């Protein structure tokens, strides 16, 4: 009976190797050894990801900056262990030494997640904690249904909310604002 109790309490711990072993076309993220399936993105989701990728990339290029922008799917290994693998909708990495052909090893400077009904709990709770503890400087959660952007500046320990149409300042780039229409 005791062995049965122990067996029930033990959760299987997955690794990055399990993510790479998924069938072609299946996407998932790995947080603290637990696998979370990813639903296919909607057209609105993809439109917003493209908007951020283009807007941020154009800004960096116009300033001659050294940061790089990567839209999902792009692998981010948040820690040195093999139990954390995420694919943020937008990753902005300013320390290019973190980059190799597999993705980003360590925290991006800025992460943007576009919320879908199936990802709300993940984006607002699990990822919020993971990104903060991993060293992400700024985290935006974009909610197209509520037309709301929640901005977490982990360096300043602040959280602000903006409606679509308002200018949202990107704190990691002084003077840079984005307005979602």
């Amino acid at each position: 009976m005791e062995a049965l109790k122990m067996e029930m309490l033990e959760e299987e711990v997955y690794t990055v190797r399990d993510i790479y072993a998924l069938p072609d076309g299946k996407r998932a993220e790995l947080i603290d050894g637990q696998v979370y399936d990813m639903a296919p993105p909607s057209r609105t989701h993809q439109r917003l990801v493209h908007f951020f990728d283009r807007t941020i990339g154009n800004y960096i290029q116009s300033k001659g900056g050294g940061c790089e922008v990567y839209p999902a799917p792009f692998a981010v290994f948040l820690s040195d262990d093999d139990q954390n693998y995420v694919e943020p909708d937008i990753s902005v990495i300013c320390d290019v030494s973190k980059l190799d052909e597999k993705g980003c090893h360590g925290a991006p400077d800025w992460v943007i997640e576009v919320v879908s009904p199936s990802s709300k709990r993940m984006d607002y709770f699990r990822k919020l904690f993971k990104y903060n503890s991993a060293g992400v400087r700024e985290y935006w959660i974009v909610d197209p249904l509520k037309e709301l952007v929640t901005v977490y500046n982990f360096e300043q320990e602040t959280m602000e909310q903006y409606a679509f149409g308002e200018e949202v300042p990107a704190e990691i780039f002084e003077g840079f604002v984005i307005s979602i229409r």
Side-chain angles (χ1 to χ4, degrees):
M1 183 67 143
E2 194 64 35
L4 180 60
K5 284 184 185 176
M6 286 301 291
E7 191 173 309
M8 290 176 62
L9 293 176
E10 291 180 23
E11 285 186 5
E12 183 149 4
V13 176
Y14 296 93
T15 67
V16 172
R17 183 179 308 219
D18 296 306
I19 296 296
Y20 283 121
L22 291 172
D24 285 347
K26 180 166 174 130
R27 291 179 49 214
E29 293 180 304
L30 181 68
I31 297 178
D32 296 327
Q34 296 303 301
V35 174
Y36 299 92
D37 290 331
M38 298 172 70
S42 69
R43 183 185 68 83
T44 298
H45 182 278
Q46 290 300 89
R47 182 179 54 78
L48 285 166
V49 169
H50 178 69
F51 167 77
F52 283 113
D53 181 34
R54 186 180 67 242
T55 303
I56 297 166
N58 287 344
Y59 175 80
I60 291 170
Q61 185 176 14
S62 75
K63 297 295 183 184
C67 300
E68 297 189 17
V69 182
Y70 293 94
F74 180 73
V76 173
F77 306 91
L78 287 172
S79 54
D80 288 335
D81 64 32
D82 64 350
Q83 296 177 9
N84 288 284
Y85 167 100
V86 292
E87 293 183 3
D89 290 317
I90 296 289
S91 299
V92 179
I93 299 104
C94 298
D95 178 357
V96 295
S97 71
K98 293 179 180 180
L99 299 171
D100 68 13
E101 287 305 310
K102 289 191 175 202
C104 178
H105 300 270
D109 294 272
W110 181 13
V111 168
I112 300 173
E113 294 285 8
V114 178
V115 171
S116 63
S118 65
S119 74
K120 276 188 176 204
R121 170 173 258 142
M122 178 69 77
D123 294 335
Y124 279 103
F125 297 103
R126 278 193 179 89
K127 286 186 176 180
L128 173 65
F129 174 76
K130 262 336 245 193
Y131 291 150
N132 186 11
S133 61
V136 169
R137 294 168 53 198
E138 190 165 340
Y139 176 40
W140 289 19
I141 302 174
V142 178
D143 189 329
L145 292 177
K146 293 183 179 179
E147 295 191 347
L148 197 64
V149 181
T150 305
V151 176
Y152 294 91
N153 181 326
F154 296 133
E155 292 180 321
Q156 304 295 321
E157 297 181 0
T158 61
M159 186 273 291
E160 301 285 335
Q161 288 190 319
Y162 301 87
F164 280 25
E166 290 185 286
E167 290 188 341
V168 184
E171 297 297 326
I172 71 163
F173 299 125
E174 189 175 330
F176 179 49
V177 297
I178 297 177
S179 180
I180 305 167
R181 305 247 178 247

